[in-house]
Amino acid sequence: MSEEENVIYIGRKPVMSYVLAVITYFNMPNAKEVVLKARGRAITTAVDVAEITRRRFMDKAKISNIEIGTEELPEEGGRTRAVSTMEITLSLEG
Amino acid sequence: MSEEENVIYIGRKPVMSYVLAVITYFNMPNAKEVVLKARGRAITTAVDVAEITRRRFMDKAKISNIEIGTEELPEEGGRTRAVSTMEITLSLEG
C-alpha cells in the first residue's frame, strides 16, 4: 500500500460523502489510519467529517494527530496567496 | 489571572482583528499561552489567525495543542444540533 493511498482530500462535496469514504477505507483489510487533508473553507468540513465518523459511525476511530499549516498558492502575475491547511489523522484502536 | 482570561473566541470579525487580539495579549507581562476557540464556519478563521500570527508577526509563538470536538446546540422544539468545535493553543517559546 503506497503512502498516499490513505489520504482523503476534503473539498466541496457534502460532508457525508467524505464520511462514507472514511468508513469504506477503514473496512478494507489492514486499514489502520486515514489522513484527511483540507485547505481554506474546507477545513471546517474536515473537522465535521472526523467528528461525525468517530461519534456516529466508528467508536474505534480516534483522532491521533492534527496539524495546521500554510500553503502558498500561485496567482496571476507571479504572486502567491497564502492559504491555511489542515491534516487530521484518524486511527483505528485495538 | 483567571483561567478564562487567555481565551479568544473566534467569530465573524475580520481575521486581522483576532490576530491583533492575540498579539496584544502576548504583549502583556507574563503572558505565555493563548487559546483560540471556534465552532462551525469560524474554525477556518481560527486556523488562519494561528497561522498568520506565527508566520507574519510572532516567530516565537508556536502551536502547542489542537483539539476538535462537538457541541450540542439547543434548537427550537427541544432538539439539539451538533456543531464541530476547535481549540488551538498558541504558546510563547523561551
Side-chain angles (χ1 to χ4, degrees):
Chain A
M1 194 179 290
S2 84
E3 265 191 45
E4 287 297 311
E5 254 180 49
N6 66 339
V7 174
I8 295 174
Y9 291 90
I10 308 296
R12 295 176 183 194
K13 291 186 209 165
V15 175
M16 290 311 292
S17 69
Y18 298 112
V19 172
L20 192 65
V22 173
I23 294 170
T24 304
Y25 181 82
F26 274 142
N27 280 315
M28 283 165 46
N30 303 320
K32 290 207 173 70
E33 202 173 270
V34 69
V35 181
L36 310 175
K37 292 193 183 188
R39 58 190 182 195
R41 288 284 144 204
I43 285 173
T44 304
T45 311
V47 176
D48 288 342
V49 171
E51 284 293 297
I52 291 170
T53 302
R54 73 173 183 86
R55 280 168 44 98
R56 282 209 243 154
F57 299 102
M58 302 195 84
D59 281 359
K60 288 187 181 173
K62 306 289 171 193
I63 290 146
S64 55
N65 193 40
I66 304 177
E67 277 174 45
I68 63 175
T70 301
E71 218 168 281
E72 301 283 348
L73 297 183
E75 290 218 307
E76 280 181 39
R79 286 188 300 186
T80 61
R81 185 169 56 95
V83 179
S84 294
T85 62
M86 185 175 218
E87 290 189 22
I88 301 174
T89 307
L90 284 168
S91 303
L92 278 194
E93 271 192 345
Chain B
M1 191 180 291
S2 83
E3 265 191 45
E4 286 298 312
E5 255 180 48
N6 66 340
V7 174
I8 295 173
Y9 291 90
I10 308 296
R12 295 178 184 193
K13 291 185 206 163
V15 176
M16 290 311 291
S17 69
Y18 299 112
V19 171
L20 193 63
V22 174
I23 294 169
T24 304
Y25 180 83
F26 274 142
N27 280 315
M28 283 166 45
N30 304 321
K32 292 207 173 68
E33 202 172 90
V34 69
V35 181
L36 310 175
K37 291 193 183 188
R39 58 188 183 197
R41 288 282 145 204
I43 286 173
T44 305
T45 311
V47 175
D48 288 342
V49 171
E51 284 294 296
I52 290 170
T53 302
R54 73 172 184 85
R55 280 168 44 98
R56 282 209 243 155
F57 299 103
M58 304 195 82
D59 281 359
K60 287 185 181 173
K62 305 290 171 190
I63 291 146
S64 55
N65 193 40
I66 304 175
E67 276 174 45
I68 64 175
T70 301
E71 219 169 279
E72 300 283 347
L73 296 183
E75 290 218 307
E76 281 181 38
R79 285 188 299 185
T80 61
R81 185 169 56 94
V83 179
S84 294
T85 63
M86 183 177 220
E87 291 189 21
I88 302 175
T89 307
L90 285 168
S91 304
L92 278 194
E93 270 193 346

